[in-house]
Amino acid sequence: QVQLVESGGGLVQAGGSLRLSCAASAIMFRVNLMGWYRQAPGKQRELVATITSGGVTNYADSVTGRFTISRDNAKNTVYLQMDSLKPEDTAVYYCNALLRRIFSRDDVNYWGQGTQVTVSS
């Protein structure tokens, strides 16, 4: 099966930094688009950033200039460097990967378990 294992969440003060990582275990899949989403209590899950296998990135307006997404294709790992954190960044952050089975045309989205990021004022 496919597993996305996240790490790096925690508690920081406003203005601080955190680096999230997500390693995808998917030997029989090609990992195409990867990204990060977040969900605050009582709110809808929202896009934070995505990155293609070719390194093309996309960011939510709220994090542009503060967050940086990157990936290591050889390790199927995506990172999210979060700088200048604000209290409104507080949420559970979820890793997402769009995968395709090597011998098929099946495209499937997989989600990590989520990691808590809390930013105090």
Side-chain angles (χ1 to χ4, degrees), residues 3 20-22 24 28 32-34 36 39 42 50 58 60 63 70 77-78 87 96 99 105:
Q3 287 189 324
L20 307 182
S21 64
C22 172
M28 292 185 290
N32 297 320
L33 191 71
M34 300 187 77
W36 291 93
Q39 187 169 22
T50 60
N58 182 53
V63 307
S70 61
T77 300
V78 63
N96 175 265
L99 309 175
R105 297 190 301 167

Side-chain angles (χ1 to χ4, degrees), residues 50-121:
T50 60
I51 183 168
T52 70
S53 60
V56 179
T57 59
N58 182 53
Y59 296 93
D61 289 342
S62 60
V63 307
T64 296
R66 299 187 299 119
F67 291 9
T68 303
I69 189 170
S70 61
R71 65 188 288 172
D72 183 338
N73 289 335
K75 296 183 177 181
N76 288 332
T77 300
V78 63
Y79 305 92
L80 186 67
Q81 178 67 42
M82 303 184 293
D83 298 319
S84 301
L85 283 162
K86 304 175 180 179
E88 50 264 45
D89 295 319
T90 296
V92 177
Y93 283 69
Y94 296 90
C95 177
N96 175 265
L98 179 64
L99 309 175
R100 173 172 289 188
R101 297 181 186 274
I102 293 176
F103 301 109
S104 76
R105 297 190 301 167
D106 294 338
D107 292 315
V108 184
N109 275 302
Y110 285 88
W111 295 90
Q113 79 283 0
T115 183
Q116 178 70 47
V117 171
T118 302
V119 184
S120 62
S121 59

Side-chain angles (χ1 to χ4, degrees), residues 4-16:
L4 304 181
V5 181
E6 304 169 357
S7 63
L11 173 65
V12 297
Q13 293 187 358

